[in-house]
Amino acid sequence: MTCLAAAAQAETVRVAFIDPLSGPFAPVGQNQLHSFQAIAELANKDKWAGEHKLEVVGFDNKASPQESLTQLKTAIDQGYRYITQGNGSGVGLALLDAINKHNERNPGKEVVFLNYAAIDPDMTNSKCSFWHFRFDANSDMKMEALTTYMAPNQAIKSVYIIGQNYAFGQAVSRAAKDYLKRKRPDIKIVGDDLHPIAQVKDFSPYIAKIKASGADTVITGNWGADLALLIRAAKDADLKANFYTYYGVTTGVPTAMGAAGAERVKIVGNWMINNDGFKGKDIVEAYKKKYNDDYYTAQTHSSLGMLAQAIKAGKSIDPVKVAFAMEGAKFASLNGEVTMNKVDHQLQQPLYIGTWTKVNGKDVRYDQENTGYGWKMDKKIDAYQAGQPTSCQMKRPAL
């Protein structure tokens, strides 16, 4: 009888993945959807959520906030109580607002937002919400880590900032100027450009401006096609500046860099496969075998892992109970033990700086996109070093 009762109570917890699956950012979206599905498969095999199963289903938002709201409504109408999104903070902010309103109007049918990569700091500050959990470090945390790494390098004298013209790109620009001024006031900011997201096909005019400025370093939050095209234009123009990126790892960028980016393109991120001990290599190798692609979004592991852990701990799949169980929770992720900050629902985790380098079979064993080049880990920044104060004043529902 006990086995039958347990089987009867076991349910499939469906997560709606609302991100671009068509258009310029489709390769990134497809990669990340597959990454979630690979982790869900692992979670189910190893019973992370006990007898409950996890399933992740894609909803194409075409990178548009308006389309995302349509897809959110469709997912809710189909009974989804958990959603995940990451590509674009403009989309993330629109979803957050809509979920807050839905939950207020529909008690008993609440939805939880597992944000794996929309990193505008406002989402865990002035716009923080009980219903929202962020599994990536926000852009200020990443800039704190990046500028801490850059500050001792006296070869850096002039910096050009370029980014996509929306909430996240603007946040990167602001933080780069503020933090460099605090840590290296002698560094000159010789340019600060924002361009339309997913609309520029030829970045050569921007690269010409960077070249003319004499910048020795470029900081960019660009991702996907916007970063691949920017790097390609820099390569074509033989720009000698070093690039400090947030998303050099995203689909299409490694191929665009190739050998030309070696030792010149750097990344700040929450994990890289060529870490000490190569933690996560089993996932990376299985993913490559199944999809002939690279697993690089470690937040898919921490978000589904913490969701499953909360379901198991709270003995419930109810979003309200699960959300309370995730607050303050610790989880053994691919980048070590991470903690979901109770105050603002921002995951606290170590960050890493890496450099695009030729595979050497030693500390750089894994390449990306079959280029023969991969990310060499330069420095680990502990969670407390990257941590930032929060202005969050969170309202919680009654349990």
Side-chain angles (χ1 to χ4, degrees):
M1 279 300 289
T2 316
C3 291
L4 287 171
Q9 288 165 358
E11 293 188 51
T12 297
V13 178
R14 296 182 305 155
V15 180
F17 172 93
I18 301 176
D19 257 329
L21 299 171
S22 63
F25 295 136
V28 177
Q30 293 284 359
N31 172 283
Q32 290 167 343
L33 174 59
H34 290 153
S35 298
F36 268 110
Q37 290 169 336
I39 298 299
E41 205 175 294
L42 178 64
N44 294 339
K45 182 169 74 72
D46 293 346
K47 299 199 170 191
W48 290 2
E51 294 306 316
H52 300 297
K53 295 272 190 273
L54 300 179
E55 182 187 9
V56 183
V57 178
F59 288 76
D60 183 13
N61 70 358
K62 304 176 177 66
S64 148
Q66 292 74 25
E67 186 65 30
S68 300
L69 298 181
T70 304
Q71 295 290 19
L72 174 66
K73 187 179 182 314
T74 302
I76 291 172
D77 288 348
Q78 289 178 15
Y80 284 83
R81 307 286 292 279
Y82 296 93
I83 73 127
T84 190
Q85 179 271 340
N87 288 316
S89 292
V91 168
L93 287 159
L95 286 172
L96 180 55
D97 182 54
I99 287 167
N100 284 339
K101 286 173 180 162
H102 165 83
N103 290 354
E104 207 173 304
R105 292 172 191 150
N106 299 277
K109 293 184 179 173
E110 290 86 358
V111 172
V112 167
F113 180 6
L114 308 170
N115 170 3
Y116 74 93
I119 64 173
D120 181 345
D122 271 353
M123 296 177 81
T124 45
N125 281 288
S126 65
K127 292 184 167 63
C128 72
S129 164
F130 175 77
W131 308 109
H132 166 261
F133 293 83
R134 175 155 48 204
F135 294 88
D136 200 356
N138 73 39
S139 62
D140 284 355
M141 295 164 85
K142 289 188 177 182
M143 190 57 75
E144 187 71 60
L146 200 59
T147 51
T148 294
Y149 176 79
M150 291 170 72
N153 184 351
Q154 293 303 315
I156 300 174
K157 299 190 185 309
S158 54
V159 169
Y160 201 106
I161 304 162
I162 183 166
Q164 297 148 315
N165 193 9
Y166 74 108
F168 163 63
Q170 293 154 16
V172 170
S173 169
R174 173 191 50 74
K177 289 178 285 197
D178 289 354
Y179 297 2
L180 284 173
K181 190 178 178 183
R182 170 159 53 91
K183 298 173 189 182
R184 278 287 304 279
D186 58 303
I187 289 176
K188 290 192 180 75
I189 305 295
V190 294
D192 186 9
D193 268 338
L194 289 167
H195 62 81
I197 184 168
Q199 288 176 42
V200 180
K201 298 287 179 275
D202 177 14
F203 277 90
S204 55
Y206 291 98
I207 295 297
K209 281 175 73 179
I210 294 170
K211 220 170 178 180
S213 76
D216 53 58
T217 302
V218 176
I219 292 177
T220 181
N222 277 19
W223 54 277
D226 280 346
L227 181 55
L229 291 169
L230 178 70
I231 296 271
R232 194 168 285 142
K235 186 167 78 174
D236 292 347
D238 197 26
L239 178 67
K240 299 294 187 204
N242 291 324
F243 275 72
Y244 284 76
T245 77
Y246 278 49
Y247 293 116
V249 73
T250 51
T251 308
V253 180
T255 300
M257 292 190 296
E263 310 304 330
R264 296 230 319 265
V265 179
K266 295 185 182 286
I267 191 168
V268 58
N270 58 10
W271 174 79
M272 50 193 68
I273 180 51
N274 294 305
N275 58 64
D276 293 338
F278 302 94
K279 192 166 168 54
K281 68 184 176 65
D282 294 351
I283 292 169
V284 167
E285 288 169 6
Y287 188 85
K288 185 88 168 179
K289 195 173 175 185
K290 182 166 184 176
Y291 294 106
N292 192 28
D293 198 0
D294 302 304
Y295 176 87
Y296 58 77
T297 308
Q299 309 89 273
T300 58
H301 181 275
S302 56
S303 54
L304 289 187
M306 284 193 117
L307 172 65
Q309 182 178 274
I311 288 168
K312 203 171 181 179
K315 297 184 173 60
S316 173
I317 64 167
D318 174 68
V320 181
K321 289 178 180 166
V322 168
F324 273 111
M326 278 204 289
E327 288 197 312
K330 294 184 185 304
F331 179 70
S333 192
L334 297 179
N335 56 354
E337 187 177 77
V338 298
T339 307
M340 181 53 71
N341 205 11
K342 186 175 179 177
V343 179
D344 58 359
H345 294 186
Q346 168 63 63
L347 195 71
Q348 303 299 306
Q349 59 192 324
L351 295 176
Y352 302 87
I353 311 292
T355 301
W356 185 243
T357 305
K358 197 169 178 57
V359 167
N360 58 20
K362 295 172 193 158
D363 54 351
V364 188
R365 273 192 221 165
Y366 294 91
D367 78 341
Q368 251 198 297
E369 298 182 0
N370 306 314
T371 56
Y373 291 81
W375 298 99
K376 178 184 179 180
M377 197 176 93
D378 294 330
K379 189 174 176 65
K380 177 184 178 183
I381 314 272
D382 289 323
Y384 75 89
Q385 284 181 284
Q388 298 285 296
T390 181
S391 61
C392 176
Q393 300 288 318
M394 192 178 288
K395 292 180 185 131
R396 287 174 173 77
L399 240 188

